[in-house]
Structure formats: structure tokens, C-alpha cells
Amino acid sequence: MPLQAVIFDVDGTIAETERHGHRVAFNRAFEEHGLPYRWDPEPYGELLAQPGGERRLEKYLLAAGHPAEEASELATSLHKRKQQLFLAIVREGAIPLRNGIARLVDELVAGGIAVGVATTAGRVWVIELLELLLGDERMSAVRVIVTGEDVSALKPDPEVYLKALAGLGCDAGQALAIEDSAAGMRSAKAAGLACLVVRNGYTTGHDFTGADLVVDDLDESSIDLNALRQLRESAP
């Protein structure tokens, strides 16, 4: 079926947010709360197996020996402050778009292809990040943004993509997802979308069996609108 919409993940896909963004903000939140924990770059990659920052924190705190109720309350408090600290990092310009994203969004808009976002992240910081990195004109072309706050189950559950498709008024067979992780890829495929994976430093070792195409960089791999159309048409 012909391509009608492309739905992007955010963390690690549209922008390199994890290593120098979220991880740093988590560590600053730990320090402000007087906690001894610090997430170094490489071990943090393993923690990313748990989608959702607050759930990641709670799981980590439970493993560190905090009682369940305390871990839950502390995770909520830490995550709220971490979001504020992360936005400060974003405003400093420390988190860039990944190569090829701006070009590809421009090509999609020019080609009349709908653009959407499907992420497990929080709505407030996602919208501000996208506004800062994409700019007003590109942001105005994003027709739907579904976040982790809009669903009951996070990736790899397909709910976030199903909601994005509903918001776009698009059939799954006419849409393609761009993801960076195995959980995101499984979410998109479970919703019936074709999926292009753009790996990053934290996801190079993921199992991407089932992806329609896996690349390391949109520019170096010559991914353009025609390539996305062909990918969608050739997908099962």
C-alpha cells in the first residue's frame, strides 16, 4: 500500500537524548536528593531496557533495597525533578537532532506525507524539545503526538502506535515507523507498521529481527522519501 504517514520515536531517534541528556539529569536529581547513586554512560545503556523514566527509577530503587512504597514515592519525586533538569539541558542546546532528521521531515512535508510522533516519554518535555529542535515550521507539520502519558501500556506494547494511527486517520498498512530500539521496533510491528530502525550507540547490540531495514545513520544510508515509499510498499 502507498505510504501516507511516517511516525517517529523521539529518544535516540529524532535526537540523541540519552547519554548527555536524560542520564545527566537523572544524576543531578540523585545528587539533589542526597542519594549516592550515579548512572555512568555504559551501565546506563543496560537500564534503558526498562522503558519509561519513572518506571526505570522505581525498578532501580527496588533493586537497590528500597521498600516498595518508598521506591514508588521516591521515583515519582526524582522523575519530576529530573524532567525539569532535562529541560534545562535542552535549553542549553546540548541535545542536537540526529543526522538527516530535518532533511527527511522537510521531504515528507513537501511530498504530502503526514508526520506523527509516538513516544513513551513525557508530553511536556517532548513538545518543548521538538519545538526547539524542529522549529515552528516543521513543528506545525507534526499532526499527532502520542506520549507515555496518553497510553496505559508502554512500548513494546503497540498502544502508542495504534493511537498515533487513529489520530492521523491512517491505516497501518499505509504507515511507516522510524525507531532506534528493539522495544520500539516491536511496538511498531505489533501495530502493523513497516519499521525503519536507525541504531544509536546504546542500541547497536539490540535484536532487530523483524525490522524492515536497519541503518546507523539516515544521511550515510541515503534514506529519502522515495526509499521510505519503497520500504512501505515492499513490507509484508
Side-chain angles (χ1 to χ4, degrees):
M1 298 178 73
L3 181 67
Q4 297 294 324
V6 173
I7 305 173
F8 292 83
D9 173 52
V10 176
D11 282 317
T13 301
I14 286 181
E16 293 281 14
T17 56
E18 296 291 2
R19 185 180 298 265
H20 302 298
H22 291 298
R23 184 187 65 84
V24 174
F26 278 121
N27 285 340
R28 291 177 182 175
F30 288 143
E31 186 174 0
E32 287 188 3
H33 279 69
L35 295 168
Y37 311 124
R38 296 295 179 271
W39 289 352
D40 292 329
E42 297 315 312
Y44 180 69
E46 299 175 8
L47 295 172
L48 292 175
Q50 171 60 59
E54 187 170 337
R55 296 187 186 186
R56 188 176 308 136
L57 279 166
E58 184 173 0
K59 182 177 180 180
Y60 180 84
L61 293 169
L62 286 169
H66 292 263
E69 184 175 353
E70 178 183 290
S72 177
E73 292 176 356
L74 187 53
T76 298
S77 176
L78 283 165
H79 192 252
K80 182 178 180 179
R81 180 56 181 151
K82 172 260 172 184
Q83 299 285 58
Q84 297 168 340
L85 293 165
F86 176 77
L87 278 175
I89 294 171
V90 170
R91 291 164 188 155
E92 293 168 0
I95 299 174
L97 282 174
R98 289 195 68 178
N99 290 342
I101 291 293
R103 171 188 56 79
L104 191 54
V105 170
D106 289 345
E107 290 183 18
L108 294 171
V109 173
I113 306 299
V115 176
V117 167
T119 175
T120 59
R123 175 167 290 274
V124 172
W125 76 256
V126 162
I127 290 177
E128 182 163 348
L129 176 73
L130 294 175
E131 289 174 343
L132 287 168
L133 296 185
L134 294 177
D136 293 341
E137 187 173 350
R138 292 190 186 100
M139 189 63 179
S140 67
V142 180
R143 287 176 42 187
V144 66
I145 299 174
V146 182
T147 72
E149 297 169 15
D150 303 315
V151 295
S152 58
L154 302 181
K155 298 174 183 178
D157 189 276
E159 184 182 3
V160 67
Y161 276 105
L162 294 173
K163 287 204 168 186
L165 289 169
L168 291 167
C170 180
D171 183 83
Q174 297 175 306
L176 180 142
I178 300 183
E179 277 281 356
D180 73 304
S181 70
M185 181 271 294
R186 291 198 301 271
S187 172
K189 296 299 290 185
L193 286 79
C195 186
L196 164 65
V197 171
V198 186
R199 292 179 291 204
N200 61 52
Y202 279 133
T203 65
T204 54
H206 285 200
D207 179 2
F208 290 115
T209 302
D212 296 281
L213 181 64
V214 181
V215 299
D216 292 313
D217 185 280
L218 291 174
D219 279 343
E220 291 180 6
S221 305
S222 300
I223 300 298
D224 58 13
L225 177 53
N226 286 333
L228 296 188
R229 283 178 168 144
Q230 292 171 10
L231 193 61
R232 175 58 273 180
E233 291 174 4
S234 64

